[in-house]
Amino acid sequence: MNNIFILSFLFIMIASLLMDRKVLKHQKGSVKVAYGLITFVTSVLFFTKYLHIPIPMPSRFFIHTVSPWFSHLTGI
């Protein structure tokens, strides 16, 4: 992802948050918490990507650890 995409997506996310703020006032607490957590995690992931901090991904663990083990186990 390049920086233009990251920043534009961040601005779209902030605009969506501001528009959804009116609707969230009338939602249950669990919906507000879930929305807040999703927004926070998304913001953190985009911020770390923007600062070029590597994010540990489960697929990388599978490719480098599980797949060679499984190939060795099956004899491929």
Side-chain angles (χ1 to χ4, degrees), residues 53-73:
I53 299 171
I55 303 166
M57 299 298 284
S59 59
R60 188 172 304 250
F61 171 76
F62 180 78
I63 291 169
H64 294 293
T65 306
V66 177
S67 185
W69 173 78
F70 185 74
S71 297
H72 179 66
L73 184 68

Side-chain angles (χ1 to χ4, degrees), residues 23-67:
V23 177
L24 283 174
K25 289 181 182 177
H26 305 293
Q27 295 295 326
K28 293 188 289 187
S30 59
V31 175
K32 291 179 186 179
V33 169
Y35 191 86
L37 283 174
I38 291 170
T39 303
F40 177 73
V41 168
T42 305
S43 300
V44 167
L45 288 175
F46 276 109
F47 188 67
T48 57
K49 189 69 174 172
Y50 184 72
L51 294 177
H52 304 291
I53 299 171
I55 303 166
M57 299 298 284
S59 59
R60 188 172 304 250
F61 171 76
F62 180 78
I63 291 169
H64 294 293
T65 306
V66 177
S67 185

